[in-house]
């Protein structure tokens, strides 16, 4: 609670002349109150004084009678604070609201490749990126979404040459046909040196604007984007077609990127390529690692494209913060790109690589089909919806198809978001759609149960007025932490913190149900508990919404 931190810091300034950060933490056990601070131990260690004596001085200066019960000193000098029920009630009734912070954040996420179907590997970037965009917008950022689609480079030279070699019209191919075309062209490229030379020349023609080449390429892009939109709609992401800014969008700026880096003295010729060798970046053999900005054949790689994207996001989009949601394998790449961009004075705002681990199968290895291929994302999501539909069989009073979609997709998203994004996780549909434990359906059901209760309750009271039972107080205390939790996610870019918080709320709600009758209570107690349920329902609904998960009113 910010006001407690402020007052404890003021007490430290009054007693010891320095407004220390109290590092106030939620207590782990009820007997320690609601909040606990180790400030006295830190001050005592710094000043060489007994921590309990320091704690006594702090408590004497601490002015919290209007908020807390009498502070307690515990153990070697911990200060325990217990909020008054009236304080909790006010905090629940008047939750912290966010206003615009005047800053713009650009979030780069999803990043599928043209001419290939989206697979399970795109799940994490899309789900994590969408949740972070929601959270950042909620706390006051102007959020600009960027879907950096892979629509440029060698693979398109290969595919177009393969089309010409086979005499196939590009317009006859759907996305699956394009993917098969890519597979054939890859084999051809690897086996035939003459074809490889022609494919590389075709890339140059593409980048130079050759009309025939551009027309075939344009069809590949349009077919792919149409299919991506269907997957995004199924996934329920907020990404729009207007958010797509493919690698091709930066083509005209690539020569200027090279020219400006050369003028800054940051490029070196190496085997015909123009490279930047940055201090501190070495391979396993100890040799310097290059950032290849222009290849020996005159073409540009994705490093040049990423540098151009940095310039665009800073100079044109006017980003105050840039976030890249890309898997952990690209950590070194982005470290080098950010370092080079800063050396060129193109990047003067925070740029963060939000890395994430791999989706694993039940065998603990990267998730694959039985045939060893990548799992198509659309098929995976449809399986989750089917599993949720079976779970809802026999339930009355619901739109089963709509609810199954919300539960199935929500289960997949929550499973992804609820673990630390840096870790790998096992894709297990049975566990994901379970109605118990830390799962999406468990939280959705908690929301639906509250909706049903409130529909029976009649008119809702203006607010919480009393919190007599410990279970009521525990639930109310958790509700007051919603804004702080969301703020923490915006700062750390760790959405699992919000998942953990929502699960704690749902668990506390379950205990509240067991110990505190709502509809069968009388008078002010009944009205106050209904208001507490209303506030809880809003936190669950808002929290799930920030995660990109629907909150059904009935399950």
């Amino acid at each position: 609670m910010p006001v407690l931190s402020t007052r404890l810091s003021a007490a430290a300034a009054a007693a010891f002349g320095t407004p220390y950060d109290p590092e106030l933490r939620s207590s782990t056990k009820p007997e320690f109150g609601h909040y606990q601070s180790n400030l006295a131990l830190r001050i005592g260690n710094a000043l060489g004084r007994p921590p309990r004596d320091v704690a006594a001085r702090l408590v004497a200066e601490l002015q919290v009678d209007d908020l807390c019960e009498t502070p307690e000193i515990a153990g070697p000098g911990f200060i325990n604070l217990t909020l008054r029920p009236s304080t909790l009630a006010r905090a629940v009734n008047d939750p912290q609201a966010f206003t615009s912070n005047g800053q713009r954040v650009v979030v780069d996420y999803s990043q599928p490749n043209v001419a290939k179907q989206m697979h399970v590997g795109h799940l994490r970037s899309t789900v994590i990126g969408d949740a972070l965009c929601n959270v950042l917008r909620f706390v006051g950022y102007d959020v600009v979404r960027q879907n950096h689609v892979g629509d440029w480079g060698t693979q398109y030279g290969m595919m177009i040459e393969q089309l010409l070699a086979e005499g196939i019209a590009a317009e006859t191919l759907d996305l699956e046909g394009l993917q098969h075309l890519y597979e054939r062209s890859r084999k051809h490229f690897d086996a035939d040196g003459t074809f490889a030379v022609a494919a590389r020349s075709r890339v140059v023609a593409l980048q130079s604007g050759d009309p025939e080449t551009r027309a075939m390429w344009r069809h590949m892009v349009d077919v792919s984007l149409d299919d991506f939109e269907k997957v995004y709609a199924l996934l329920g992401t907020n990404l729009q077609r207007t958010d797509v800014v493919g690698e091709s969008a930066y083509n005209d700026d690539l020569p200027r990127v090279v020219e400006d880096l050369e003028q800054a003295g940051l490029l070196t010729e190496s085997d015909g390529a123009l490279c930047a060798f940055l201090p501190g970046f070495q391979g396993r053999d100890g040799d310097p690692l290059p950032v290849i900005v222009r290849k020996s054949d005159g073409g540009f790689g994705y490093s040049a494209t990423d540098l151009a994207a940095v310039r665009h996001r800073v100079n044109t989009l006017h980003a105050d913060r840039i976030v890249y949601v890309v898997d952990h394998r690209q950590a070194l790449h982005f470290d080098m790109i950010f370092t080079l961009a800063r050396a060129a004075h193109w990047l003067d705002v925070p740029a963060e690589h939000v890395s994430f681990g791999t989706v694993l199968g039940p065998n603990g290895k990267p998730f694959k089909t039985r045939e060893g291929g990548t799992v198509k994302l659309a098929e995976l999501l449809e399986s989750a919806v089917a599993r949720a539909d079976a779970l809802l069989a026999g339930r009355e009073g619901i739109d089963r198809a709509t609810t199954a979609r919300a539960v199935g997709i929500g289960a997949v998203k929550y499973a992804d978001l609820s673990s630390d994004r840096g870790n790998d996780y096992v894709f297990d549909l049975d566990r994901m759609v379970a109605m118990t434990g830390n799962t999406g359906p468990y939280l959705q059901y908690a929301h639906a149960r509250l909706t049903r209760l409130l529909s029976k309750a009649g008119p809702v009271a203006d607010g919480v007025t009393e919190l007599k039972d410990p279970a009521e107080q525990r639930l109310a205390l958790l509700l007051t932490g919603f804004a702080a939790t969301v703020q923490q996610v915006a700062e750390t870019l760790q959405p699992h913190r919000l998942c953990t918080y929502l699960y704690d709320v749902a668990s506390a709600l379950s205990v509240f149900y067991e110990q505190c009758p709502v509809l069968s209570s009388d008078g002010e107690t009944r009205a106050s508990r209904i208001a507490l349920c209303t506030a809880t329902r809003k936190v669950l609904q808002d929290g799930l919404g920030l995660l990109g998960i629907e909150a059904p009113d009935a399950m």
Side-chain angles (χ1 to χ4, degrees), residues 367-379:
F367 201 17
K368 300 286 186 181
T369 63
R370 291 181 180 178
E371 296 75 27
T374 56
V375 179
K376 296 175 184 176
L377 183 52
E379 294 179 358

Side-chain angles (χ1 to χ4, degrees), residues 32-341:
F32 298 150
H34 295 142
Y35 294 100
Q36 191 173 61
S37 174
N38 68 353
L39 179 57
L41 281 74
R42 288 185 283 117
I43 294 177
N45 182 60
L47 302 181
R49 299 180 58 175
R52 285 189 69 91
D53 291 350
V54 173
R57 285 282 306 279
L58 289 171
V59 169
E61 295 287 350
L62 188 57
Q63 299 179 11
V64 291
D65 290 348
D66 59 326
L67 302 174
C68 298
E69 308 292 353
T70 302
E72 295 181 353
I73 301 172
F78 292 104
I79 298 175
N80 297 339
L81 300 168
T82 301
L83 297 176
R84 296 181 184 277
S86 58
T87 303
L88 282 172
R90 286 197 302 271
V92 171
N93 295 334
D94 188 21
Q96 178 183 342
F98 293 98
T99 57
S100 172
N101 62 15
Q103 292 196 316
R104 171 172 288 180
V105 58
V106 174
V107 184
D108 179 338
Y109 69 107
S110 193
Q111 309 114 357
N113 288 317
V114 161
K116 295 181 182 178
Q117 293 175 302
M118 292 180 70
H119 55 76
V120 68
H122 296 115
L123 174 67
R124 301 213 70 185
S125 178
T126 307
V127 169
I128 294 170
D130 214 42
L132 292 179
C133 285
N134 296 338
V135 166
L136 290 164
R137 184 180 66 248
F138 188 83
V139 303
Y141 281 94
D142 172 21
V143 176
V144 178
R145 301 167 190 258
Q146 296 277 272
N147 191 356
H148 191 80
V149 170
D151 66 350
W152 213 236
T154 303
Q155 73 181 68
Y156 304 101
M158 291 164 31
M159 295 172 67
I160 292 169
E161 280 299 309
Q162 191 69 27
L163 278 176
L164 295 173
E166 295 178 358
I168 298 175
E171 294 75 13
T172 64
L173 298 178
D174 59 11
L175 186 57
E176 186 173 1
L178 288 175
Q179 184 153 342
H180 292 320
L181 173 70
Y182 168 76
E183 292 165 358
R184 296 196 304 274
S185 69
R186 178 82 255 181
K187 291 178 181 178
H188 197 172
F189 184 89
D190 292 339
D192 186 341
T194 301
F195 178 81
V197 170
R200 292 191 181 98
S201 297
R202 183 64 61 175
V203 175
V204 176
L206 174 63
Q207 294 177 339
S208 301
D210 174 67
E212 180 188 22
T213 304
R214 282 287 179 95
M216 289 185 280
W217 167 81
R218 186 72 253 172
H219 174 75
M220 294 179 185
V221 172
D222 289 341
V223 167
S224 302
L225 294 184
D226 288 344
D227 195 80
F228 297 162
E229 283 189 323
K230 294 176 184 177
V231 177
Y232 289 144
L234 179 60
L235 191 56
T237 177
N238 288 313
L239 272 177
Q240 304 295 321
R241 193 148 183 161
T242 52
D243 299 322
V244 172
V245 184
E247 294 175 355
S248 60
Y250 305 105
N251 183 62
D252 292 344
D253 193 40
L254 300 184
R256 289 191 290 271
V257 166
V258 173
E259 181 182 350
D260 291 349
L261 290 175
E262 281 189 303
Q263 289 180 357
L266 292 170
L267 294 185
T268 302
E269 185 175 337
S270 177
D271 295 329
L274 289 178
C275 307
F277 292 93
L278 303 168
F281 293 97
Q282 297 179 330
R284 293 180 180 178
D285 55 5
D287 291 338
L289 279 178
V291 178
I292 302 175
V293 182
R294 193 178 72 193
K295 296 184 288 187
S296 58
D297 62 2
F300 302 95
Y302 58 85
S303 290
T305 303
D306 282 336
L307 288 165
V310 168
R311 297 214 304 188
H312 174 74
R313 291 164 185 180
V314 173
N315 298 334
T316 304
L317 298 181
H318 305 295
D320 298 294
R321 182 182 183 185
I322 308 176
V323 174
Y324 293 77
V325 186
V326 187
D327 77 76
H328 63 90
R329 293 173 297 177
Q330 299 299 316
L332 177 61
H333 168 73
F334 281 112
D335 193 5
M336 297 176 75
I337 291 297
F338 297 159
T339 300
L340 180 54

Side-chain angles (χ1 to χ4, degrees), residues 323-403:
V323 174
Y324 293 77
V325 186
V326 187
D327 77 76
H328 63 90
R329 293 173 297 177
Q330 299 299 316
L332 177 61
H333 168 73
F334 281 112
D335 193 5
M336 297 176 75
I337 291 297
F338 297 159
T339 300
L340 180 54
R342 293 193 190 284
H345 304 292
W346 298 342
L347 182 62
D348 57 359
V349 301
E352 301 153 270
H353 174 209
V354 175
S355 64
F356 52 85
T358 304
V359 181
L360 305 178
N363 58 1
K365 297 180 180 179
F367 201 17
K368 300 286 186 181
T369 63
R370 291 181 180 178
E371 296 75 27
T374 56
V375 179
K376 296 175 184 176
L377 183 52
E379 294 179 358
L380 192 73
L381 297 175
E382 293 288 4
S383 296
V385 172
R387 192 70 57 93
D389 183 67
L391 184 72
L392 297 170
R395 303 202 178 200
E396 299 179 354
I398 63 172
D399 180 336
R400 184 167 160 182
T402 301
T403 306

